[in-house]
């Protein structure tokens, strides 16, 4: 009854065109028809590990528009992305023992007010009833990857990630033989995900999988 009342007062609108949609959907049927699924890819990390990257869709509108709302301080859009991801991809593909978000540098966090990857991780982890561990930190401020060439992206993200000082201080990081799910909103070349995964690989997990809202193709 309460949910029905709230739906009348605050109806759910398509995140792209603004028409009325069911509360369970991010897009209307017309906009959803423009969403392009993509296949998973595998990126080499170390001799032992490769990173499977699962994306809900291609980095094209209407989904691209929702991703970019993080720059407008839209925290709700990040949660909507996570709901969309879990609805588009079967849980058997992204099931894991622990969820780790890609971190923001503290200056970007201060500007934005939230980390979109962490907000997404919370929604995804709740679906699995598994913990979110903010294991990683950005130890240097980097340029936006989308503005750089491939070579510049490699140099830009080199040594950008480290274990967060809190977990390093505790010295009780237990990822051995666990399935790790690394969460971010976007994968372009995969450089960011690979660098983050290399830090995680030091703790000998069973596997590392990246789950993103969209991937550039």
């Amino acid at each position: 009854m309460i949910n029905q009342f709230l739906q009348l007062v605050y109806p759910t609108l398509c995140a792209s065109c603004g028409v009325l949609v069911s509360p369970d959907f991010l897009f209307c049927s017309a906009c959803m028809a423009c969403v392009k699924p993509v296949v998973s890819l595998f990126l080499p990390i170390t001799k032992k590990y490769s990173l499977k990257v699962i994306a809900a869709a291609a980095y094209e509108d209407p989904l691209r528009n929702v991703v970019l709302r993080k720059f407008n301080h839209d925290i709700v859009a990040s949660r909507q992305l996570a709901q969309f991801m879990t609805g588009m991809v079967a849980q058997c593909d992204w099931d894991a023992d622990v969820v780790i978000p890609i971190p923001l540098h503290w200056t970007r966090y201060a500007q934005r007010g939230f980390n979109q990857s962490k907000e997404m991780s919370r929604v995804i982890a709740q679906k699995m009833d598994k913990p979110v561990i903010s294991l990683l930190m950005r130890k240097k401020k980097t340029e936006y990857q989308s503005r750089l060439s491939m070579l510049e992206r490699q140099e830009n993200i080199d040594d950008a990630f480290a274990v967060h000082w809190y977990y390093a201080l505790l010295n009780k990081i237990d990822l051995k033989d666990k399935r790790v799910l690394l969460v971010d909103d976007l994968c372009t070349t995969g450089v960011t995900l690979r660098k983050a995964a290399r830090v995680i690989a030091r703790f000998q997990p069973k596997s590392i999988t990246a789950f993103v809202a969209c991937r550039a193709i």
Side-chain angles (χ1 to χ4, degrees), residues 61-190:
D61 287 333
L63 196 60
R64 174 168 50 194
N65 178 53
V66 183
V67 171
L68 295 179
R69 289 181 189 177
K70 63 188 177 184
F71 298 114
N72 296 324
H73 312 287
D74 191 343
I75 193 171
V76 173
S78 296
R79 297 167 184 164
Q80 290 176 323
L81 281 174
Q83 294 285 1
F84 178 80
M85 291 162 66
T86 58
M88 286 288 288
V89 181
Q91 185 170 335
C92 59
D93 290 328
W94 49 270
D95 197 13
D97 300 305
V98 61
V99 180
I100 298 178
I102 292 290
L104 282 179
H105 190 263
W106 70 267
T107 55
R108 293 243 169 88
Y109 187 94
Q111 292 170 353
R112 200 170 299 169
F114 66 97
N115 176 4
Q116 72 278 4
S117 298
K118 189 167 185 177
E119 295 302 319
M120 295 164 63
S121 294
R122 285 170 173 163
V123 174
I124 293 168
Q126 187 177 35
K127 291 275 187 182
M128 298 187 294
D129 193 25
K130 298 294 169 59
V132 175
I133 299 178
S134 297
L135 178 69
L136 304 175
M137 63 177 287
R138 290 210 187 218
K139 60 182 183 179
K140 72 174 186 179
K141 185 178 181 180
T142 54
E143 296 295 328
Y144 288 108
Q145 291 286 83
S146 59
R147 301 173 182 173
L148 305 174
S149 68
M150 175 63 81
L151 179 59
E152 289 172 331
R153 290 180 185 191
Q154 293 278 357
E155 296 173 347
N156 182 50
I157 210 72
D158 273 348
D159 299 318
F161 296 107
V163 175
H164 195 283
W165 62 265
Y166 173 80
Y167 292 98
L169 188 65
L170 287 178
N171 198 28
K172 292 183 179 179
I173 304 168
D174 182 18
L175 295 180
K176 186 173 175 59
D177 297 327
K178 291 184 178 179
R179 298 168 300 160
V180 173
L181 191 69
L182 193 58
V183 173
D184 204 1
D185 57 352
L186 172 63
C187 173
T188 49
T189 62

Side-chain angles (χ1 to χ4, degrees), residues 5-39:
F5 173 75
L6 290 174
Q7 184 61 20
L8 287 172
V9 178
Y10 304 105
T12 306
L13 306 178
C14 172
S16 180
C17 69
V19 303
L20 286 170
V21 295
S22 164
D24 298 326
F25 294 95
L26 181 59
F27 301 117
C28 66
S29 57
C31 291
M32 189 63 196
C34 298
V35 173
K36 183 185 297 182
V38 293
V39 297

